[in-house]
Amino acid sequence: MKKIKFLIGIFALTFISSCSSDKAEIDSEYPVIDSTGANAFPIQCSTIERGKTFTFKATFNDNVALGSYSLDIHHNFDHHTHSTEVTTCEMKAIKKPVKPMLFINNYTIPNGVKTYEATAQITIPADVDPGDYHFMIRLTDKEGWQTLKGLSIKIL
């Protein structure tokens, strides 16, 4: 009898603790990269000049909290694709890279932020190969969910 009362007590405690309302909700939503604003840059098919500095601009959103983002610029002289955009851009002929640009940088976002206006100054070296490039934006929220935006751009 003592054993049955003990088991009923354990079951009751387990049931009560599992019904607790203080459990944290699980974040299962991807963060959002918004590059549709009037000041967003680059956008699909943008052109950027060698030897110049431009400002990357986009708005990031998350339902709980943003984490960080990274930017990656690499050549697309072989016409591979990562584009996440519906529109395609006119491409130059396939060519072999001689001195292509490669830019990869990580950026932090302040803790606890749900919306963030991202900006970054990026200089395009004057001596890199002109042509077709990809501009990749990777946004990660605090939970670890990632969103990737792949844009096709030209460096002139």
Side-chain angles (χ1 to χ4, degrees):
M1 188 67 151
K2 285 183 182 181
K3 195 174 188 180
I4 292 174
K5 285 183 181 180
F6 176 75
L7 290 174
I8 290 172
I10 295 292
F11 175 74
L13 283 174
T14 303
F15 181 75
I16 290 168
S17 67
S18 69
C19 293
S20 175
S21 63
D22 62 344
K23 283 191 174 192
E25 284 191 38
I26 297 172
D27 176 10
S28 60
E29 290 185 35
Y30 291 97
V32 176
I33 301 167
D34 181 2
S35 60
T36 60
N39 294 325
F41 190 83
I43 58 172
Q44 180 75 342
C45 305
S46 288
T47 58
I48 302 167
E49 291 184 50
R50 293 182 293 168
K52 303 265 176 134
T53 298
F54 73 93
T55 303
F56 161 74
K57 290 183 181 181
T59 302
F60 300 147
N61 295 291
D62 190 63
N63 63 317
V64 177
L66 294 163
S68 63
Y69 69 101
S70 66
L71 301 176
D72 169 342
I73 302 171
H74 63 272
H75 80 81
N76 185 21
F77 301 159
D78 59 358
H79 295 181
H80 68 277
T81 186
H82 318 279
S83 183
T84 58
E85 304 304 287
V86 175
T87 20
T88 58
C89 308
E90 186 177 322
M91 299 181 74
K92 305 241 180 202
I94 291 175
K95 68 178 186 177
K96 290 202 182 282
V98 176
K99 190 171 182 185
M101 178 171 180
L102 179 61
F103 175 89
I104 301 172
N105 205 1
N106 297 310
Y107 301 87
T108 58
I109 296 173
N111 285 332
V113 173
K114 290 184 178 185
T115 299
Y116 184 71
E117 299 293 328
T119 62
Q121 298 290 310
I122 302 172
T123 300
I124 307 296
D127 60 348
V128 296
D129 293 342
D132 298 306
Y133 282 81
H134 284 139
F135 190 97
M136 308 296 294
I137 308 164
R138 182 180 310 271
L139 175 61
T140 307
D141 70 10
K142 280 293 185 193
E143 189 67 27
W145 295 106
Q146 289 188 344
T147 298
L148 182 68
K149 188 172 207 56
L151 304 170
S152 295
I153 62 169
K154 287 204 185 319
I155 294 179
L156 305 177

